[in-house]
Amino acid sequence: MELTKEQIQKIDLFLEGIGIEYIDIRFEMVDHIATEIENNIEDINAFFKYNGFQTPFIKYMLSRKKEYFESYKKQKRKAFWFNIKRTLVAVFKESIKPINFIAILLFLFAINLLENFNLKYASEIVFVSFFLSFFYFTIRFNQFKKKFGAIKIIHAYASIFMFNYIVSFHFPGITPIFSEGSYSPFLLYKCFTALIINFLVFKCFLNEKTNIQKRLKNLA
């Protein structure tokens, strides 16, 4: 017998209550526990029937509280690098989609033409676009986190996004460009590459956001 949506919600709320904050890890644990209950409990309705602390479900979960939390801590440690790799793969796949690949090539072609005409204008367009993308994407990441809470995979996207920004901004720094007018093709295309990475990371983030919202809807 499969668990109802309300019963799955109870599992999710219990895990959240014991400090399992990352939603995507909690999703996996909810699935695992739900399957465990479906396979081992004969009368599921009686199992979830409320009777205070004597409710079989509550007693069952409390007896495994330490086990669940230890499992969560292990998954959290492993999840960061796993999600970084997963995110990089997603970004690569996004980059070779025909519509994105063509858009990037067209933008590159336009920047190249403008660079040949006026390096300063080309640089300023790319630099301003990069800064605007950084602020816009940062706001969107924060809005999502505020609405849905901590999500490990989104943390990976945000980490790559911030790393891209730090590397682009400081190695070498592009701050003197506007104050000193030290434009160069190298800085132009370095910033262009960073802008494209921002764009691809954000598109992958939107795809992941949709998947997470669907999962949350199932738990709602």
Side-chain angles (χ1 to χ4, degrees):
M1 179 179 176
E2 290 188 0
L3 270 62
T4 65
K5 185 182 291 187
E6 290 75 17
Q7 291 165 345
I8 291 173
Q9 278 183 322
K10 289 180 180 179
I11 299 172
D12 182 63
L13 289 172
F14 181 90
L15 294 178
E16 184 180 12
I18 64 172
I20 298 176
E21 58 176 344
Y22 283 107
I23 296 173
D24 40 354
I25 296 178
R26 202 162 74 232
F27 282 160
E28 300 301 323
M29 295 183 70
V30 167
D31 286 343
H32 174 76
I33 295 169
T35 301
E36 188 179 86
I37 291 172
E38 289 169 353
N39 292 337
N40 296 304
I41 304 300
E42 292 184 7
D43 191 344
I44 290 178
N45 289 329
F47 181 74
F48 279 94
K49 187 176 181 181
Y50 182 73
N51 187 24
F53 283 106
Q54 297 304 312
T55 303
F57 165 72
I58 294 177
K59 293 172 69 176
Y60 179 88
M61 296 296 285
L62 287 174
S63 70
R64 290 163 174 76
K65 176 182 174 181
K66 185 177 180 180
E67 175 190 336
Y68 292 148
F69 197 74
E70 288 300 318
S71 174
Y72 167 67
K73 288 195 292 185
K74 289 179 182 178
Q75 289 186 58
K76 190 168 71 169
R77 285 194 294 267
K78 293 178 181 178
F80 179 75
W81 290 111
F82 172 80
N83 284 328
I84 289 291
K85 292 176 185 177
R86 176 183 164 189
T87 302
L88 291 174
V89 170
V91 169
F92 174 74
K93 289 181 178 178
E94 195 69 35
S95 70
I96 60 176
K97 287 182 179 179
I99 188 169
N100 293 332
F101 188 70
I102 292 171
I104 292 169
L105 287 180
L106 288 174
F107 189 32
L108 177 61
F109 179 70
I111 291 299
N112 183 257
L113 285 179
L114 188 56
E115 178 212 347
N116 292 330
F117 173 71
N118 191 309
L119 176 61
K120 177 183 176 182
Y121 290 159
S123 299
E124 289 178 351
I125 288 172
V126 172
F127 299 152
V128 169
S129 297
F130 174 71
F131 287 124
L132 289 177
S133 73
F134 172 76
F135 289 118
Y136 175 72
F137 297 160
T138 299
I139 291 170
R140 292 295 300 274
F141 277 124
N142 288 334
Q143 286 176 338
F144 187 80
K145 183 178 179 181
K146 185 176 180 181
K147 183 175 181 180
F148 295 105
I151 301 174
K152 205 66 179 173
I153 184 65
I154 300 302
H155 179 63
Y157 280 102
S159 297
I160 291 174
F161 176 71
M162 287 301 300
F163 179 78
N164 180 47
Y165 170 76
I166 291 169
V167 169
S168 302
F169 196 79
H170 295 288
F171 301 103
I174 61 176
T175 307
I177 291 172
F178 293 104
S179 58
E180 301 173 9
S182 54
Y183 301 98
S184 74
F186 171 74
L187 289 175
L188 168 64
Y189 288 105
K190 187 190 78 160
C191 203
F192 172 82
T193 302
L195 175 61
I196 296 304
I197 292 172
N198 278 359
F199 165 73
L200 294 171
V201 169
F202 188 69
K203 286 208 70 175
C204 293
F205 160 73
L206 292 179
N207 294 336
E208 196 68 45
K209 174 184 172 183
T210 301
N211 294 333
I212 290 169
Q213 286 174 321
K214 287 179 181 177
R215 292 294 302 275
L216 285 172
K217 187 176 180 180
N218 291 334
L219 288 173

